[in-house]
């Protein structure tokens, strides 16, 4: 896939749940289906809705684990210019992008291919290493209900039993676009005061 091609014919509107905690019952059922004992997971959540849970990857979803700032830039690209995203969480300063099963296996090779296609332009070199979690891996997902501490929370909460999940091609496209945004921000560092720069990078209140 070309890095300059928009994966959607028109921009998708931002979801009402963007950057808002809270998982619907159908979303909880989908998350629980990733585990060996989904009923036990749902029972745990009924008793402790504020408890995070470790779930295996590779069946219901894979996870692409990226630095927080890159993750938010990728989300901007996915919602402003692309098809949107699946569920997205933040855990301990990292952004967890829920993706289609098989993404973890294919994404690294697609990034290598994109690097070759870019001809040394630096677009892919600017992307920090992406951690891909697939078959044999497990991740901690945030609690179903909002909690006071923000080290683990949902940015785009699961709300259906059959969520659309981006594949590796879409995520490579978003990562390349996010890297371009980062390069543009770096050029503006000498123009704007540091306070403005920090606000542009970290303030996502405009999405709430």
């Amino acid at each position: 896939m070309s890095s300059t091609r928009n994966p959607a014919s028109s921009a998708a509107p931002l979801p009402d749940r963007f950057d808002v905690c809270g998982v619907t019952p159908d979303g909880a059922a989908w998350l629980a289906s990733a585990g060996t004992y989904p009923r036990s997971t749902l029972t745990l959540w009924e008793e402790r809705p504020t408890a995070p849970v470790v779930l295996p990857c590779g069946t219901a979803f894979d996870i692409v684990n990226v630095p927080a700032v890159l993750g938010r830039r990728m989300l901007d690209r996915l919602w402003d210019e692309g098809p949107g995203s699946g569920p997205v969480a933040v855990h301990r300063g990292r952004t967890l992008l829920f993706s289609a099963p098989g993404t973890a296996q294919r994404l690294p090779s697609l990034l290598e291919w994109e690097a070759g296609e870019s001809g040394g332009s630096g677009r892919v070199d600017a992307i920090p290493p992406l951690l891909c979690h697939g078959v044999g891996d497990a991740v901690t997902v945030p609690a179903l209900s909002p909690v006071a501490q923000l080290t683990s929370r949902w940015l785009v909460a699961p709300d259906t039993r059959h969520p659309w999940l981006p594949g590796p091609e879409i995520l490579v496209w978003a990562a390349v676009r996010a890297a371009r945004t980062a390069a543009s921000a770096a050029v503006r560092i000498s123009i704007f005061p540091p306070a403005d720069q920090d606000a542009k990078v970290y303030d996502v209140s405009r999405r709430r």
Side-chain angles (χ1 to χ4, degrees):
M1 185 189 69
S2 171
S3 60
T4 59
R5 185 176 301 164
N6 191 326
S9 58
S10 60
L14 288 169
D16 293 337
R17 65 189 181 280
F18 193 95
D19 214 12
V20 176
C21 295
V23 180
T24 67
D26 283 345
W30 171 71
L31 285 173
S33 71
T36 305
Y37 305 104
R39 290 185 179 179
S40 297
T41 300
L42 289 174
T43 298
L44 172 63
W45 276 330
E46 289 176 0
E47 297 173 352
R48 299 178 58 197
T50 60
V53 173
V54 176
L55 293 176
C57 302
T59 302
F61 54 78
D62 281 0
I63 293 286
V64 178
N65 181 333
V66 305
V69 174
L70 174 65
R72 290 181 181 183
R73 285 178 174 148
M74 289 177 66
L75 280 179
D76 280 343
R77 301 285 70 75
L78 287 167
W79 285 107
D80 290 346
E81 305 171 28
S85 73
V88 181
V90 170
H91 182 67
R92 294 183 177 178
R94 305 279 298 187
T95 299
L96 308 181
L97 299 158
F98 286 68
S99 55
T103 296
Q105 182 178 4
R106 294 188 56 206
L107 185 59
S109 59
L110 282 179
L111 282 171
E112 290 181 3
W113 178 86
E114 186 72 28
E117 288 293 304
S118 67
S121 66
R123 290 177 301 183
V124 176
D125 293 341
I127 301 174
L130 308 183
L131 304 179
C132 299
H133 306 296
V135 175
D137 299 323
V139 297
T140 300
V141 302
L144 301 191
S145 299
V147 291
Q149 56 84 23
L150 298 179
T151 59
S152 182
R153 65 191 180 101
W154 293 102
L155 293 181
V156 181
D159 64 351
T160 176
R161 289 177 181 265
H162 304 286
W164 177 82
L165 299 173
E169 295 87 355
I170 294 295
L171 293 178
V172 167
W173 173 87
V176 170
R177 286 298 182 96
R180 289 178 180 173
T181 301
S184 298
V187 171
R188 292 196 297 268
I189 288 176
S190 61
I191 302 175
F192 293 99
D196 289 346
Q197 177 195 344
D198 291 341
K200 287 177 178 294
V201 173
Y202 295 105
D203 182 10
V204 295
S205 61
R206 66 187 187 282
R207 293 300 186 202
R208 296 177 182 175

